[in-house]
Amino acid sequence: MTPPQQNPEGAIDVELSEEIAEGVYANLAMIAHSNSEFILDFIRLMPGVPKAKVKARIILTPEHAKRLLEALRENISRFEEAYGGINEPNEFRFPSGGFGGPVGQA
């Protein structure tokens, strides 16, 4: 695979396929690390389903993980300036058996 070409201004021409552009929904992330990498697993928990599925795994160098952290901080700050603060839950618990509550019927 050839590396992306840079245009004269130094910007990278990024290709985004239609499949990837659709995105993948995740409502949980788990992070692990070793001395050389960070592993981010993006997971989808579904109501009433006791098993969650990893929908995407991203592996980063520690330097790239730190850049991602700073980029998220900057973007969250911009978001909150434009749309107001994001609520932070006081406590997070893994739902047992999914989200709980009554299960709908069709």
Side-chain angles (χ1 to χ4, degrees):
M1 177 183 246
T2 59
Q5 298 296 314
Q6 290 192 350
N7 66 25
E9 295 84 37
I12 296 175
D13 183 19
V14 177
E15 181 179 332
L16 181 63
S17 71
E18 189 174 326
E19 179 185 5
I20 297 297
E22 291 179 12
V24 174
Y25 178 76
N27 52 9
L28 176 67
M30 295 184 75
I31 302 170
H33 67 275
S34 70
N35 64 337
S36 62
E37 61 198 13
F38 278 76
I39 301 165
L40 287 69
D41 285 335
F42 293 91
I43 299 163
R44 183 182 307 160
L45 285 171
M46 297 302 291
V49 179
K51 188 173 186 178
K53 291 188 178 184
V54 174
K55 300 311 255 177
R57 172 173 277 184
I58 307 298
I59 303 170
L60 304 166
T61 64
E63 295 82 6
H64 286 126
K66 195 162 193 176
R67 286 188 195 126
L68 175 62
L69 174 64
E70 293 307 317
L72 281 170
R73 281 188 179 136
E74 182 179 324
N75 277 271
I76 288 171
S77 177
R78 288 180 189 172
F79 177 93
E80 290 183 325
E81 286 175 14
Y83 304 106
I86 299 171
N87 294 331
E88 291 186 51
N90 294 332
E91 179 183 323
F92 177 80
R93 293 179 295 137
F94 286 100
S96 59
F99 290 99
V103 177
Q105 296 180 354

